[in-house]
Amino acid sequence: MKSIQIAIDGPASSGKSTVAKIIAKNLGYTYLDTGAMYRCATYLALQNDLKDKDVEAILTLLSESPISFGRAEDGSQTVFLGDQDVTLAIRQNDVTNNVSWVAALPEIRQELVNQQRRIASKGAIIMDGRDIGTVVLPDAELKIFLIASVEERAERRFKENQEKGIETDFETLKEEIAARDYKDSHRKVSPLKAADDAITFDTTGVDIQGVVKFIQEKAEKIIDRG
Ligand code: DC
């Protein structure tokens, strides 16, 4: 059977990772959460009190404590820096509110994009992020760009945070999501945007299973054709 690359991009909390994980499981594909990788770089920067001028130091820390992924007993994905489990730490507000400046550093992007391409080269991959269809996997057979209203995305993130026990105020969350959208779409390097050949899907009011069905049917058509 043909194995393909699936790129899912979109703004914060547009549902990318939730649907990508389900589709990966259904198709038996590898799932790569590239946002988690930028969060890891941000975590290292904050832990070591580093700023954007310290990009070399952040890269050194990344090579000393490589990013890897594992699986918890309940089947959920875990994230490691070296042998430290940072799954929860990288979802905290300080990381979320600083990730945009770290993700705007070209040297950091180059390093993480190289790692992402290395993982994708094994095939049968579904990757989610901001620049997968445009930069990381420009030849991906299926490119999806997910969007949803800020209001709905804030509601989704609010619920997610509640489940993870992270304190948040809804209005603040909405402002933070809008601010992150702005920074991610206006940065010089690899800004958030749909690839010319991506299919844009507005998930406002659509449940997870509806989004999964939409993408998976498209993927299966391409796989069967192969
Ligand atoms: O998907 P997320 O919210 O966990 O991503 C965290 C941040 O990482 C996001 O604000 C922008 C950045 N990011 C990026 O620049 N490129 C990617 N491919 C993935 C995420």
Side-chain angles (χ1 to χ4, degrees), residues 18-176:
T18 309
V19 297
K21 274 181 213 154
I22 298 172
I23 296 168
K25 196 161 176 227
N26 292 349
L27 298 178
Y29 271 36
T30 301
Y31 163 63
L32 184 65
D33 175 356
T34 63
M37 300 173 78
Y38 289 95
R39 286 172 181 274
C40 281
T42 308
Y43 175 81
L44 286 173
L46 294 178
Q47 286 291 306
N48 294 277
D49 219 2
L50 300 172
K51 305 281 178 294
D52 51 2
K53 62 172 176 34
D54 304 316
V55 63
E56 284 305 323
I58 304 175
L59 287 171
T60 304
L61 287 167
L62 271 174
S63 70
E64 286 167 0
S65 308
I67 302 169
S68 64
F69 295 90
R71 200 152 291 287
E73 270 175 27
D74 65 359
S76 63
Q77 191 170 63
T78 48
V79 186
F80 287 84
L81 270 169
D83 51 17
Q84 185 190 359
D85 185 339
V86 293
T87 312
L88 288 179
I90 60 165
R91 303 287 158 194
Q92 299 298 322
N93 293 334
D94 56 342
V95 171
T96 304
N97 292 332
N98 279 279
V99 65
S100 289
W101 69 258
V102 176
L105 299 171
E107 297 87 344
I108 300 286
R109 298 204 72 82
Q110 193 54 56
E111 172 56 26
L112 295 184
V113 167
N114 287 345
Q115 293 186 18
Q116 291 155 12
R117 288 188 180 142
R118 229 174 288 136
I119 296 168
S121 66
K122 299 186 183 96
I125 182 105
I126 178 161
M127 222 185 251
D128 80 339
R130 304 294 189 287
D131 60 341
I132 310 303
T134 51
V135 176
V136 183
L137 304 176
D139 297 327
E141 286 87 346
L142 179 60
K143 298 180 184 177
I144 304 285
F145 195 76
L146 292 183
I147 53 172
S149 70
V150 173
E151 184 81 23
E152 176 146 336
R153 288 186 284 132
E155 271 167 28
R156 291 176 190 166
R157 188 52 63 106
F158 185 73
K159 276 192 206 139
E160 244 175 59
N161 283 356
Q162 267 186 329
E163 282 160 18
K164 287 182 189 146
I166 301 173
E167 273 297 313
T168 24
D169 167 67
F170 181 69
E171 284 307 315
T172 312
L173 202 56
K174 228 164 82 178
E175 281 162 25
E176 284 171 359

